[in-house]
Amino acid sequence: MAQSAQFTVPVDTVVARMRALDETLPERDGLAVFNRVYLTVTEEFDRRLDAGVFPDRRAAQTLDVRFAERYLTVAEEGRAPACWRPLLRFRRHPGVRPLQFALAGINAHIGHDLALAVVDSCRTLGCEPADLEDEFDRVGDLLVSLEERIREELMPGPDLLQIADPLTHLLGSWSLERAREATWAAARALWALRGIPDLAEEFGDRLDAAVGLAGRMLLTPLRA
């Protein structure tokens, strides 16, 4: 893989920024819920990176930080693409449960931001998406492994197991694994379209809108 030998990715800086957000955001704020989840994921990524789980350390770091920077732009600066707007709009709604906030954030970040982060990383490293597929898969495996723990920690209680609970239906309507597969296809398409800026922008806008629609569905208030 062609890489810039001088490029260093500060994962610790990303972690520090997320911790700062955790200290400033109200505990029940919807963005705070997602931030705590994402902080856990990023800290675990950092541990696995140090343990040598990622064969190409530079590529993994680059993808992780380019990915995180897109969320941090939303959280720190309030510049939100369509996929993040439902979460920002409903972040204080009393009828939305913490698990919904977490999944809506994951939906926006995986469904939209990760595809753009792959393209960002390819430009930084001077490579093709295929060169990052292993890192993409390993990051995805980490997210999938943590999803069940996230669901368990944020479950509202035994009623989650009841078929009549509306949250049960919402949880069944979205899959991290399917989102991850769609994101890889989107990243490859965006890279293939990079020489046709107008078409690439249109594709990106439609991806953003579609992910935002799914996020709005996940944030359906379940109580007044």
Side-chain angles (χ1 to χ4, degrees):
M1 181 191 304
Q3 297 182 12
S4 168
Q6 303 300 317
F7 189 78
T8 302
V9 183
V11 177
D12 290 346
T13 299
V14 168
V15 171
R17 290 165 69 186
M18 290 182 191
R19 287 175 178 164
L21 283 167
D22 188 49
E23 293 175 359
T24 58
L25 291 170
E27 182 179 357
R28 296 182 180 276
D29 184 287
L31 193 64
V33 173
F34 172 74
N35 188 76
R36 288 193 293 272
V37 168
Y38 196 21
L39 175 58
T40 299
V41 170
T42 307
E43 289 172 336
E44 180 63 23
F45 170 87
D46 208 12
R47 285 191 287 270
R48 295 189 184 192
L49 192 69
D50 290 341
V53 171
F54 298 94
D56 190 332
R57 181 185 178 94
R58 188 179 298 278
Q61 285 181 303
T62 301
L63 180 58
D64 181 70
V65 173
R66 290 290 177 262
F67 187 30
E69 284 172 343
R70 289 193 169 271
Y71 158 67
L72 289 168
T73 296
V74 173
E76 296 174 343
E77 302 176 22
R79 292 190 286 121
C83 60
W84 281 101
R85 290 172 200 158
L87 178 54
L88 297 182
R89 178 184 176 189
F90 286 88
R91 61 194 292 182
R92 297 180 180 86
H93 197 297
V96 179
R97 301 182 188 179
L99 181 54
Q100 291 175 263
F101 288 131
L103 293 183
I106 293 171
N107 169 71
H109 203 38
I110 298 294
H112 175 263
D113 296 352
L114 183 53
L116 273 62
V118 170
V119 174
D120 293 343
S121 299
C122 287
R123 287 174 174 152
T124 296
L125 297 168
C127 68
E128 298 284 326
D131 297 317
L132 292 179
E133 188 168 8
D134 184 60
E135 287 72 30
F136 180 93
D137 287 341
R138 288 174 185 268
V139 169
D141 290 343
L142 169 60
L143 293 166
V144 169
S145 72
L146 291 173
E147 184 189 20
E148 186 61 32
R149 191 173 85 188
I150 291 166
R151 290 177 183 247
E152 289 177 358
E153 289 178 355
L154 297 178
M155 282 169 63
D159 64 330
L160 179 64
L161 302 178
Q162 297 177 4
I163 192 67
D165 188 342
L167 184 57
T168 302
H169 297 279
L170 281 181
L171 294 180
S173 68
W174 186 84
S175 162
L176 175 57
E177 187 59 45
R178 289 197 298 270
R180 170 183 164 187
E181 292 170 358
T183 293
W184 181 245
R188 293 176 62 203
L190 284 167
W191 184 254
L193 293 171
R194 69 192 183 282
I196 315 174
D198 290 347
L199 193 55
E201 182 178 1
E202 181 179 352
F203 182 91
D205 288 346
R206 291 182 181 276
L207 174 66
D208 188 16
V211 173
L213 181 62
R216 175 62 185 86
M217 177 272 296
L218 287 169
L219 291 168
T220 301
L222 301 181
R223 62 177 183 271

